[in-house]
Each structure stands twice: as structure tokens, then as C-alpha cells.
Amino acid sequence: MLLAPALHHSLIPGWLVMVIGMMIPTVLRPMLKVSDDRWTRATVFLGGYVFVWGLAAIPLALMPITGLGSFAIGGLWILAGVVQVLPSTARALHACRGLRRTDGPLGAGARQGIWCVRSCWLLMVATVATASLMPMIASLGLMIIATAVMLWEKSRSVSVTSIRGLGITFIILGAAIMVLAPGTHLHG
């Protein structure tokens, strides 16, 4: 495989496991709407969704994001925060909450995946990078928190102001990581 030398600790398979564990819970509502209570349609929807998230892992195979120091991790959180406050992210989240019934299950899953990658990719990258430097139990806790955040931001009742407030929180978190732990790893 062409990308294999650049992969760190089987990143793409690990990424896909995270997508299944963290992102699929955020699209259960649209998946159930498309499936019409048929598991085959739900499976095809998830296939399209996971395929798009798999493609989103390819850039990560080319740039190492695991084992970074706190300055780089803080920078990722700041970047995730900046993207979070952009109007385009609010539009992507709005689209991610909805579903066009005209698409078949594969197209609906892929479309849902595209909008979700657009709105959550940097949060996932920052989470993966941060988790790679934490003990296993803390890493699992971070993944649960990130999943809860993504579930919250995709709920219909969340306002654009709240989404931007979350972005500001990410920026503050990133700055705190840079200032409080300069040049160190988060677990050492």
C-alpha cells in the first residue's frame, strides 16, 4: 500500500473504529429516517457515511498527528476553535442535522458524512492527537466527552451562538495547553 510507510500505529483502522464509536451515534436519527425500519438500508447508509470518514483519514496518513507535543496539540485545538466559529461551520452543522429524503440510503449516508466531516473533522483530529498522549483511561474519557460534544452540537435546539461559544472554548483550551504545558507531553 502506497501510504503504509506514513501510517503511525495503524491510524486509518483506528480512525474508522473511532468513527464507528464516536460519529455513528451522532447520525442515528437520519439513519433511522432513511432506513424505513429495514436493517439493509441502515447498513447501506452507514456504509456511505463511514466511507466518507475513511476518505477523511487519508490526509492524516500523510501528516503525523500522534505523539505531538503540547504546543502542536494546543495549535490543533485553536485551529478547531477558529473553524468552529466560522459561519460555514454553522451551515454545515445545520445540513448535518437534516436529511434529504430524495437520496437513497448510500447517497444519504455519503452526504451526511460530507457535512459531518466538514463540521467535525478538526475536532476529531484534535481529539485523536490529544488522546494519543494520554493514558488509556483518560483517552477513553476524552473520546466520551468529544462524542457528547458532537451529539450536543448536532441537536436541533443548539443555536449558532452556542456553537461559536464552543469554538471559543476550544481556542481557550488550546491556548491553555500551550501555556500550561509548553514543550511537554500531556502524560509526562
Side-chain angles (χ1 to χ4, degrees):
M1 183 161 103
L2 180 63
L3 299 176
L7 294 178
H8 181 67
H9 298 288
S10 302
L11 180 68
I12 291 178
W15 176 265
L16 291 174
V17 168
M18 275 192 6
V19 165
I20 291 166
M22 294 175 65
M23 297 307 299
I24 287 179
T26 71
V27 293
L28 288 177
R29 237 185 352 247
M31 181 196 69
L32 291 173
K33 189 183 286 186
V34 156
S35 73
D36 292 326
D37 294 326
R38 292 191 303 226
W39 70 271
T40 52
R41 290 178 62 84
T43 303
V44 171
F45 175 92
L46 290 177
Y49 184 79
V50 171
F51 177 76
V52 169
W53 273 99
L55 291 177
I58 292 172
L60 303 179
L62 304 174
M63 57 182 184
I65 62 161
T66 58
L68 299 175
S70 60
F71 191 79
I73 300 255
L76 281 172
W77 282 105
I78 290 171
L79 185 58
V82 168
V83 168
Q84 188 78 17
V85 300
L86 296 174
S88 59
T89 298
R91 286 191 300 272
L93 281 167
H94 178 76
C96 195
R97 293 175 190 143
L99 182 67
R100 289 180 30 195
R101 291 287 298 199
T102 58
D103 293 335
L106 183 63
R111 183 181 312 281
Q112 199 75 16
I114 290 166
W115 286 114
C116 290
V117 164
R118 170 60 192 90
S119 62
C120 299
W121 187 78
L122 270 169
L123 173 57
M124 286 283 285
V125 170
T127 301
V128 169
T130 305
S132 75
L133 299 179
M134 300 171 83
M136 177 75 84
I137 193 73
S139 174
L140 181 60
L142 178 62
M143 300 296 174
I144 291 168
I145 291 168
T147 302
V149 165
M150 289 183 276
L151 281 166
W152 171 78
E153 74 179 352
K154 289 182 182 181
S155 71
R156 296 187 187 280
S157 62
V158 175
S159 68
V160 172
T161 303
S162 297
I163 291 168
R164 290 186 178 143
L166 181 63
I168 292 167
T169 302
F170 292 161
I171 292 168
I172 292 168
L173 173 64
I177 289 170
M178 291 172 129
V179 170
L180 298 176
T184 63
H185 293 289
L186 298 178
H187 65 359

